[in-house]
Amino acid sequence: MTVRIAVIGAGIMGADHARIIAGDLPGAVLQVVCDASPERARMVAEECGARDIATDPLATIARSDVDAVLIASPDETHAALTLAAIRAGKPVLCEKPLAPNSADCLRVIEAEMRAGRPFVQVGFMRRFDPSYAEMKALLDDGTLGRAVLMHNFHRNVSAPANFTGLMAITNSAPHEFDVARFVLDTDYTSISAFQPAGVDASRAGAPVFMVLETAGGQLVNIEVNNTAAYGYDVRGELVGEKGSVFLNAPVHARINVGLKSLERYAPDWRPRFAEAYRLQNKAWLRFVETGMPWPVAANAWDGYRATLTAEAGVKALSNGARAVIERAERPAFYRH
Ligand code: ISE
């Protein structure tokens, strides 16, 4: 059976997902590209050979010729569209964040649990990145000993046009919130957030530095700098009692010119995490086909924990004080 997928939102990520579905996902077909702008939907649909375009997301989710839905529309629409997909009984891959506020994430969790089976995968694609996967494997097999620290850097060339100052915490940092929690297999207990003196916190892209404490006793620090200018640069180091492991970005060439040796940076996250997106979408397709969530994939509970952490981060930055992150038992429904 071929899975007919609707992509909702034809911006940067929607277009990227449409390309993966059309070109790299045997067993799936790009049925509809839906966007508020019909021109944008048409452009992506034509490039990727989609069967149809649409402008109404709810009507698209309800279509009988759509089996599964990939949501890549603006953050504030994610929860409502995910809820609509659950109501329609259709599996969803929702780009991160699941919702910008934790109350909406809880609504999704309640709806999914009420529906009695998992429908939602959240687009925390770094879990599928081979460099994070190796980091986690080295921790899990004991090579590194007990984990004590995880350092994270997250730099963009410039802030996207729709960014606000706090989106460093609510939109960019959730990647680290999720992947560090996944690698360390723990939850956070607190977060502190700082900005360099003289930085206007409302300026889109203003750097933020965060320190999180985990239930396992580790410290996790995260720098997000969305106006780093020189390139897209994500770095990480996991430090254990017996050793440490750095992430390496995939770099395919070294250029020697003018008495210099250079490696290029990607202009944004898509080339850096191309393999992670591909593996994530393949795992989602298996989930759609079998109804069984892929063990590595982020679910709605993980989406909720990332948003809860972001909310505490925003509070910590505005109060200048360490914010406690409420602990909660993962429901049995999400233990897979
Ligand atoms: C952006 O919104 C993303 O979602 C990307 O995955 C991330 O790497 C980037 O820094 C964010 O700004």
Side-chain angles (χ1 to χ4, degrees), residues 8 32-42 52-60 63:
I8 299 185
V32 189
V33 175
C34 172
D35 194 279
S37 150
E39 293 76 35
R40 205 161 45 199
R42 188 163 305 108
D52 201 359
I53 64 159
T55 53
D56 180 340
L58 293 176
T60 302
R63 280 170 67 143

Side-chain angles (χ1 to χ4, degrees), residues 62-115:
R63 280 170 67 143
S64 60
D65 63 352
V66 165
D67 304 311
V69 183
L70 196 153
I71 298 171
S73 47
D75 294 0
E76 61 282 4
T77 65
H78 288 182
L81 296 178
T82 301
L83 285 169
I86 295 172
R87 272 196 303 274
K90 298 186 182 174
V92 194
L93 174 54
C94 180
E95 261 299 340
K96 38 63 57 181
L98 177 57
N101 68 75
S102 55
D104 281 342
C105 295
L106 285 174
R107 264 176 220 117
V108 172
I109 287 172
E110 277 154 25
E112 194 178 32
M113 286 174 61
R114 221 178 311 118

